[in-house]
Amino acid sequence: MTRENRSRSTRLPTPIRTSGSQKSPIKPEAEARPPPPNHNAKQRPVSNSRREKTHLLDDSTQQQIMRRTSQIALLVISVIALLFLPCTTAARHLKTKPIDATNTQHLELPQGLFGPESVAFDGHGAGPYVSVSDGTVLKWGGEGVGWKTFAYSPSYTKNNCNATSELPDVATESSCGRPLGLRFHRESGFLYIADAYMGLMRVGPSGGQATVLATEAGGAPLLFTNGVDVDQVTGDVYFTDSSATYTRAQHQQVTTSGDSTGRIMKYDPKANQVTVLQSGVTYPNGIAISADRTHLVVALTGPCKLLKVWIQGPKVGTSEPFADLPGYPDNIRPDEKGGYWVALHREKYELSFGKDNHLVAIRIGANGEKLQEMRGPKDVRPTEVVEREGGKIYLGSVELSYIGIVKSN
């Protein structure tokens, strides 16, 4: 805090009182002292202009201090407002009313399971199918049936992962598998599974043990297989490997270190071949093919951005920025309107205290424009948002023990 400068007033010498009858003896000239002041003489007043100048300087200084103090106070208030009300300014520019995810219907997972990272529906509309913490994919059969195990990796069977264990799932996922992204090829009925540890897998319409399709690409192992999508016309599969340095168990280090060893790949089921489309990507996570099938949109978690990767046309093989996001994205799915729903794990500048409300997802248009927000409690941190007919939106989350269902209308 700046201290105010105070000017000192001009002080006149205090007059020495002397008797009018007494006279001081005259000393030699060399030792002569200055005569005492003549009190009958008129004192020279201090210039009014000087006093006024001093006061003017004081007023000017005070005004500067007041202006600076006001500016600092305004800046502090603005910062606090931004922290407590993130993204409200951007929301004002959105024409579509936000979706409230405060009160959701829950499809609870079987006891002891959690983390339905991805949500998928088959070509007949059955589901949802979800990837969960114990290394399996579950299928919802309705209220009368509930959840049933649908698919699992070869390692799940080999390592007897269905046996009761005292260890938490995170301790066994490297040996039992941790399925993340799920996507059906509707015509064939195949479900493609991006497993963080097992690589890219596929299982038939009847489920059971999945087949491992790829564990490496371009001579380098798949260390953190994450998102997946399927071209419904050609059957080609596009998927991400989030890091060549860190595994899923070290996912926080991918963000904090700024790791840029991720890759975007294509699997050709006819040739049974994997091609690296782009390497050196910063935390590629969810992936979706555009409605016109000309490009991919990839969620970059650490940078809070979407990347467009061209797979057809004159720009094929190149990439460019698609959208900046107000939070950390996970999976991205088509909204059936030419755009995308992007799940946001949390906002960029989110605080643990304050109002219990934050962005959980954002709808992005075909050209990267922000169209609609979804807001909900801070303990809801979705990893995938899937919109279905009738206005139902399904929320997957790597942290929760249920699938959330929100009505969009």
Side-chain angles (χ1 to χ4, degrees):
M1 183 173 180
T2 305
R3 289 187 177 180
E4 182 181 346
N5 294 325
R6 299 181 180 178
S7 62
R8 298 180 179 177
S9 59
T10 306
R11 248 180 158 182
L12 296 176
T14 305
I16 302 173
R17 299 186 178 274
T18 59
S19 173
S21 61
Q22 293 180 349
K23 294 183 180 180
S24 299
I26 299 174
K27 293 187 179 181
E29 187 172 341
E31 298 180 5
R33 294 182 180 178
N38 183 355
H39 299 291
N40 295 322
K42 195 172 183 180
Q43 294 183 3
R44 186 179 178 183
V46 177
S47 169
N48 287 334
S49 62
R50 186 177 176 186
R51 281 202 185 99
E52 290 172 1
K53 187 175 181 181
T54 303
H55 288 301
L56 284 172
L57 287 173
D58 291 344
D59 292 344
S60 176
T61 303
Q62 290 177 3
Q63 290 173 4
Q64 289 179 4
I65 292 171
M66 290 176 66
R67 278 197 299 269
R68 288 178 183 174
T69 304
S70 299
Q71 291 171 353
I72 292 171
L74 182 61
L75 179 62
V76 171
I77 292 171
S78 300
V79 171
I80 292 174
L82 286 172
L83 290 174
F84 277 91
L85 300 172
C87 307
T88 52
T89 302
R92 292 192 192 114
H93 300 292
L94 302 181
K95 295 180 180 180
T96 309
K97 182 181 177 182
I99 295 172
D100 185 4
T102 302
N103 299 312
T104 61
Q105 178 188 346
H106 293 178
L107 291 182
E108 295 284 349
L109 298 179
Q111 186 175 2
L113 297 182
F114 68 96
E117 158 89 11
S118 187
V119 180
F121 292 84
D122 63 29
H124 303 288
Y129 298 74
V130 296
S131 49
V132 294
S133 58
D134 70 339
T136 63
V137 175
L138 304 181
K139 177 185 178 180
W140 175 254
E143 293 292 342
V145 178
W147 294 102
K148 295 292 184 182
T149 299
F150 179 75
Y152 44 86
S153 72
S155 294
Y156 186 87
T157 305
K158 177 182 177 182
N159 296 317
N160 197 27
C161 294
N162 61 342
T164 303
S165 173
E166 298 295 327
L167 295 174
D169 289 332
V170 70
T172 60
E173 63 182 22
S174 61
S175 57
C176 296
R178 184 38 167 123
L180 297 177
L182 302 177
R183 198 64 166 160
F184 275 96
H185 179 232
R186 291 189 290 268
E187 184 179 347
S188 65
F190 284 131
L191 173 63
Y192 287 89
I193 306 167
D195 189 293
Y197 298 92
M198 305 302 155
L200 182 66
M201 303 191 302
R202 181 176 65 195
V203 67
S206 300
Q209 181 172 295
T211 301
V212 177
L213 302 174
T215 58
E216 64 89 28
L222 301 176
L223 201 62
F224 188 174
T225 319
N226 202 332
V228 64
D229 200 5
V230 180
D231 185 328
Q232 298 298 331
V233 176
T234 65
D236 291 337
V237 181
Y238 298 91
F239 64 106
T240 61
D241 183 23
S242 292
S243 174
T245 308
Y246 301 103
T247 65
R248 194 198 88 88
Q250 303 164 310
H251 66 91
Q252 290 183 338
Q253 292 172 263
V254 182
T255 300
T256 57
S257 68
D259 179 78
S260 297
T261 61
R263 295 179 294 174
I264 301 166
M265 288 152 294
K266 170 187 172 182
Y267 171 73
D268 181 347
K270 299 180 182 68
N272 192 30
Q273 183 178 358
V274 176
T275 304
V276 178
L277 301 180
Q278 188 167 336
S279 57
V281 185
T282 304
Y283 207 156
N285 196 327
I287 187 169
I289 188 169
S290 64
D292 63 5
R293 302 174 42 250
T294 61
H295 60 273
L296 307 170
V297 178
V298 182
L300 307 182
T301 299
C304 297
K305 296 179 183 294
L306 296 180
L307 180 72
K308 177 188 284 189
V309 180
W310 292 95
I311 55 175
Q312 289 189 43
K315 293 185 178 180
V316 64
T318 66
S319 63
E320 60 194 58
F322 185 66
D324 289 321
L325 300 173
Y328 295 88
D330 204 298
N331 286 323
I332 175 172
R333 285 289 175 247
D335 66 354
E336 307 302 330
K337 300 174 184 177
Y340 310 90
W341 271 114
V342 183
L344 299 177
H345 191 63
R346 67 181 176 89
E347 294 181 18
K348 277 184 183 179
Y349 308 110
E350 185 169 311
L351 298 175
S352 58
F353 53 90
K355 190 176 181 181
D356 186 21
N357 185 272
H358 72 156
L359 272 174
V360 297
I362 188 165
R363 189 198 296 266
I364 301 294
N367 297 313
E369 69 276 22
K370 298 174 181 64
L371 299 178
Q372 189 175 21
E373 292 181 349
M374 185 187 298
R375 305 191 67 88
K378 290 182 179 178
D379 62 352
V380 175
R381 300 180 182 275
T383 49
E384 186 160 299
V385 176
V386 177
E387 186 171 8
R388 300 289 291 170
E389 298 83 0
K392 277 189 175 182
I393 298 178
Y394 292 77
L395 306 181
S397 172
V398 76
E399 296 178 351
L400 300 178
S401 61
Y402 60 85
I403 289 290
I405 303 175
V406 180
K407 292 288 288 183
S408 63
N409 49 33

